[in-house]
Amino acid sequence: MSPQATVISIETPLSEDMGAMIAELNEVLLTLSPPEACYHLSVQEMAGDATTVFVARVDGDAAACGALHRHANGIAEVKRMYTRPAYQGQGLGGKILERIVLLAQSEGFNSLVLETGDKHQAAWRIYERAGFNRCGPVLDYPDSPYSVFYSRPLAAS
């Protein structure tokens, strides 16, 4: 078996395969949290100027994604992190998160924050390995038993 070619790049979320992957992500999240505790950006919102979407492709197939969403006051947010089940365990989420962190640093953000679900232990491990620490609610998210919040200070590069 030949090794698979993996490429991570910035892409539009408006392509057909990205729309399918985001729809899959939304379905997964709704199995883990009630609808009122899911804070999705739509693909249209992800395509806006405030958001940069990273996609990992394995042999050309959309395998994982994540996004940097910009806010005021030096804060950026990690959004829409997802690795399709067939590609989990290959480190794609960590590699995308690394790209998000580097972009936020290069743009001069002071901190990077995120909200994730209370049942997403695999995601917690990725965030904690990348230097994120649990914290209280961030941005305008409500304090919810279904949410876990993380933050990481950034040094501008």
Side-chain angles (χ1 to χ4, degrees), residues 105-146:
Q105 286 175 320
S106 74
E107 292 186 8
F109 285 95
N110 301 319
S111 66
L112 199 50
V113 299
L114 64 95
E115 180 275 340
T116 189
D118 67 321
K119 295 183 174 100
H120 302 186
Q121 290 88 350
W124 302 345
R125 287 189 295 277
I126 292 168
Y127 300 135
E128 290 166 7
R129 275 189 295 232
F132 286 79
N133 295 301
R134 284 194 184 200
C135 62
V138 297
L139 301 168
D140 60 355
Y141 290 101
D143 194 359
S144 164
Y146 302 107

Side-chain angles (χ1 to χ4, degrees), residues 11-82:
E11 293 189 21
T12 178
L14 298 175
S15 66
E16 186 175 327
D17 62 346
M18 276 301 299
M21 186 162 57
I22 296 303
E24 185 179 309
L25 166 59
N26 292 344
E27 288 178 26
V28 168
L29 293 176
L30 288 169
T31 69
L32 298 169
S33 300
E36 66 273 11
C38 292
Y39 307 102
H40 306 163
L41 284 179
S42 69
V43 291
Q44 291 79 15
E45 290 168 319
M46 291 169 66
D49 291 340
T51 306
T52 299
V53 178
F54 291 92
V55 179
R57 290 188 177 274
V58 177
D59 291 336
D61 295 328
C65 63
L68 173 74
H69 188 68
R70 297 159 185 86
H71 294 273
N73 302 319
I75 300 171
E77 181 181 12
V78 177
K79 293 290 288 182
R80 306 319 326 246
M81 291 289 295
Y82 180 62

